[in-house]
Amino acid sequence: MRGATILKASDDKTCQLNEHTLMTFCGEAGDTVQFAEYIQANIQLYSMRNDGDLSPSAVANFVRHELATSLRSRNPYQVNLLLGGVDPLSGTPSLYWLDYLAALAPVPYAAHGYAMYYCLSILDKHHHPDISFEQGLKLLHMCTDELKRRLPIDFKGVLVKVITKDGVREVEYDNDRLIKSA
């Protein structure tokens, strides 16, 4: 029987693919890191050869193609991904959900791993298309509070990265904040 385990609490499961695109991953430990590094190297190679970055939509479709190709090989990657970014030309943000079967879907919000079982209902109820950065952080606090209350493992916290038209940056987040009782 397998269950939720934490191998390393300080592990960063994100990979910056270019200046405006970030990928998060979960799945089998070896597959996730190897696949993320492979995708990152290929996106950087494309940027060097063509003297320009791919849009988040183009990156998502490239990643989907690589997952589909690996699915038809003898050693498919067991990795689920969230890919977000801001198109440098139009300035429009986008978020994509990809699973290990190479399904690609644009989504307004997402969670993956065990957190999705607790967070998606909160996101369904409180997310709206015109959400501000401050409202988004408040929504994130609601999700992490729920994880602290209900997740059957010791919740270690989250690493918060924000993607804007200016690039990807890490945001300080108080993981030690006390939660209010339900």
Side-chain angles (χ1 to χ4, degrees):
M1 182 173 185
R2 293 171 44 150
T5 57
I6 298 174
L7 299 176
K8 186 174 166 189
S10 62
D11 202 10
D12 182 5
K13 294 183 179 181
T14 65
C15 181
Q16 186 171 346
L17 302 178
N18 59 35
E19 188 178 347
H20 297 96
T21 308
L22 186 73
M23 181 173 71
T24 65
F25 46 87
C26 72
E28 296 295 323
D31 284 355
T32 56
V33 174
Q34 182 181 9
F35 186 74
E37 289 174 352
Y38 170 73
I39 294 297
Q40 184 181 35
N42 277 284
I43 297 299
Q44 289 174 352
L45 178 63
Y46 178 90
S47 296
M48 287 187 285
R49 283 184 175 169
N50 298 297
D51 199 31
D53 287 340
L54 288 170
S55 69
S57 173
V59 171
N61 282 289
F62 171 74
V63 172
R64 195 209 77 70
H65 173 74
E66 292 301 318
L67 278 171
T69 302
S70 113
L71 185 64
R72 289 155 182 84
S73 72
R74 291 181 185 221
N75 299 312
Y77 290 107
Q78 296 293 316
V79 59
N80 297 312
L81 308 162
L82 293 176
L83 195 139
V86 175
D87 191 326
L89 299 177
S90 67
T92 56
S94 54
L95 178 63
Y96 298 93
W97 175 87
L98 294 101
D99 72 354
Y100 70 101
L101 295 173
L104 169 66
V107 292
Y109 53 85
H112 63 184
Y114 279 101
M116 79 176 165
Y117 299 117
Y118 304 100
C119 295
L120 285 179
S121 60
I122 295 169
L123 294 169
D124 281 338
K125 183 175 181 179
H126 297 286
H127 180 271
H128 56 86
D130 301 324
I131 195 166
S132 69
F133 177 72
E134 290 76 24
Q135 291 171 323
L137 277 180
K138 184 178 177 187
L139 192 53
L140 180 60
H141 279 297
M142 292 168 69
C143 289
T144 55
D145 288 351
E146 193 69 16
L147 292 172
K148 287 176 187 175
R149 268 191 224 101
R150 298 182 55 207
L151 197 65
I153 57 175
D154 185 20
F155 180 67
K156 302 293 186 196
V158 294
L159 173 67
V160 180
K161 292 188 178 182
V162 177
I163 309 165
T164 64
K165 60 183 165 102
D166 301 322
V168 178
R169 63 181 162 79
E170 194 170 320
V171 175
E172 287 294 319
Y173 188 78
D174 184 15
N175 284 308
D176 298 324
R177 187 173 76 95
L178 293 175
I179 59 172
K180 299 172 186 163
S181 65

